[in-house]
Amino acid sequence: MKTKNISTILFILFASFLFSQTIDVMSFNIRLASVDDGENHWNIRKDKVKDLISYYEADFVGLQEAQKPQIDYLLDNNSAYSFLGRPRTDEANAEFSCIFYLKNKYKVLEQNTFWLSENPEKSGKSWDAAYPRIVTYALFENIKTKKKIWVLNTHFDHVGVIARQKSAEIILEKIKTLQKKRNVPVVLTGDFNSVESDSWMKPLFENLQEARSNSVTKPYAEKATWNGFKFNEKPSEQIDFIFSSKNNTKVLKYRTITDFYDYKYPSDHFPIVAKIQLK
């Protein structure tokens, strides 16, 4: 009888491990390497960005405003990660909305980048957007557990109101298509250049669960994510978000990372990180 009970317990524990696991997801606008940033130039703060990403070691990191030299530096100095994504234009210093992932923990089964425009398969902008905007996504498989997950990362336009509305619609439609192809958990990260009360954000909040407002435990640190490199002013707006699918994920923890050095921030955005259970 005792042996049978132990076997039952072991089976339950194994089944629990097999069908449920947690991941850490980060969204981080690292700010491009602008020559106008003075004391906040990339060459001054790049080690801080690198060390922050290395320390938190999230399973997936959605980066925004990342240029190829920045990506190369972060990868050259952190052997744990690989990345995927395409630039939004063919320019030498074009921005990526790329995804970093722990390369020894996950393998990529499928990946692509599309544009938030009337012609998603071709580089360009539409409506009232100031710049071309993209979404990078991939289907990942945990090498050990074989559990799969869709991860998407984006950066909405900062000017176009119609463009942001259409972008939200396009992403939700894409998520539906991906889940029809493979019905597994979905995570969406990004700088949405929007606040929760903006009308175009409502469909995202209704169809997905936003990490901060759905965290089982109390979110850590302030809500605002955009600091503008203004260390002596209190940030007031959350424009960076992490979303996940409602039916098969649970947000366990959420944090706004307000780390600083020499009374300066590593970027003009705070990174955010969520611990998410895949059910």
Side-chain angles (χ1 to χ4, degrees):
M1 182 64 69
K2 288 183 178 180
T3 302
K4 185 177 181 181
N5 288 341
I6 292 173
S7 298
T8 301
I9 292 171
L10 290 174
F11 175 78
I12 292 173
L13 290 173
F14 174 75
S16 176
F17 169 76
L18 186 62
F19 293 105
S20 177
Q21 71 180 55
T22 61
I23 60 170
D24 289 327
V25 179
M26 178 183 288
S27 184
F28 193 4
N29 183 325
I30 64 171
R31 173 65 179 174
L32 54 80
S34 173
V35 295
D36 299 324
D37 284 343
E39 64 178 5
N40 295 302
H41 188 272
W42 171 252
N43 288 335
I44 297 173
R45 57 189 178 84
K46 62 183 180 181
D47 282 341
K48 307 303 178 183
V49 173
K50 178 257 297 181
D51 291 345
L52 188 152
I53 293 173
S54 298
Y55 177 80
Y56 287 96
E57 202 175 34
D59 294 74
F60 305 103
V61 183
L63 295 182
Q64 301 90 37
E65 289 196 28
Q67 297 170 309
K68 192 58 166 60
Q70 294 175 295
I71 294 171
D72 290 342
Y73 179 82
L74 294 174
L75 293 178
D76 289 344
N77 291 277
N78 189 337
S79 60
Y81 285 100
S82 186
F83 98 108
L84 54 87
R86 294 171 59 189
R88 67 187 190 185
T89 67
D90 293 331
E91 297 172 351
N93 290 317
E95 296 176 22
F96 288 69
S97 292
C98 59
I99 300 171
F100 276 31
Y101 64 95
L102 295 176
K103 62 185 180 183
N104 291 331
K105 189 173 181 180
Y106 297 94
K107 67 178 180 179
V108 180
L109 302 182
E110 179 180 337
Q111 63 169 303
N112 203 354
T113 295
F114 64 91
W115 279 258
L116 293 169
S117 71
E118 295 170 292
N119 189 356
E121 303 305 317
K122 185 179 179 181
S123 176
K125 62 180 181 178
S126 296
W127 312 294
D128 52 354
Y131 296 104
R133 300 291 182 172
I134 56 176
V135 178
T136 291
Y137 72 89
L139 177 63
F140 293 95
E141 181 182 79
N142 186 298
I143 295 171
K144 287 185 178 180
T145 68
K146 305 304 179 184
K147 201 164 186 66
K148 300 173 180 64
I149 181 172
W150 292 107
V151 179
L152 299 88
N153 181 46
T154 191
H155 187 183
F156 278 16
D157 197 69
H158 66 299
V159 173
V161 173
I162 298 174
R164 279 174 279 180
Q165 177 185 339
K166 294 294 185 180
S167 295
E169 295 172 1
I170 290 171
I171 287 177
L172 285 173
E173 190 60 37
K174 187 64 175 183
I175 288 175
K176 288 181 182 179
T177 300
L178 294 178
Q179 287 197 301
K180 285 181 181 178
K181 181 185 295 187
R182 191 68 67 93
N183 189 17
V184 296
V186 174
V187 168
L188 167 65
T189 61
D191 170 3
F192 292 83
N193 274 312
S194 312
V195 296
E196 180 179 347
S197 60
D198 287 329
S199 60
W200 53 86
M201 294 296 288
K202 186 177 180 181
L204 291 173
F205 276 81
E206 289 178 342
N207 290 277
L208 302 169
Q209 59 176 345
E210 189 270 324
R212 191 178 200 281
S213 56
N214 286 279
S215 177
V216 173
T217 57
K218 182 181 178 180
Y220 186 79
E222 298 298 321
K223 183 176 182 179
T225 61
W226 187 75
N227 61 65
F229 286 127
K230 298 174 182 178
F231 188 82
N232 294 317
E233 296 182 20
K234 185 177 181 179
S236 60
E237 294 183 335
Q238 180 184 6
I239 61 174
D240 303 88
F241 297 91
I242 296 172
F243 293 94
S244 62
S245 45
K246 287 185 174 182
N247 62 327
N248 49 19
T249 69
K250 178 188 288 187
V251 182
L252 303 180
K253 294 182 179 182
Y254 176 95
R255 177 177 180 177
T256 306
I257 302 172
T258 57
D259 298 355
F260 64 92
Y261 67 100
D262 299 334
Y263 301 101
K264 294 184 291 186
Y265 294 122
S267 177
D268 60 348
H269 288 245
F270 293 135
I272 55 177
V273 62
K275 184 176 289 293
I276 298 174
Q277 184 182 57
L278 309 182
K279 296 188 289 185

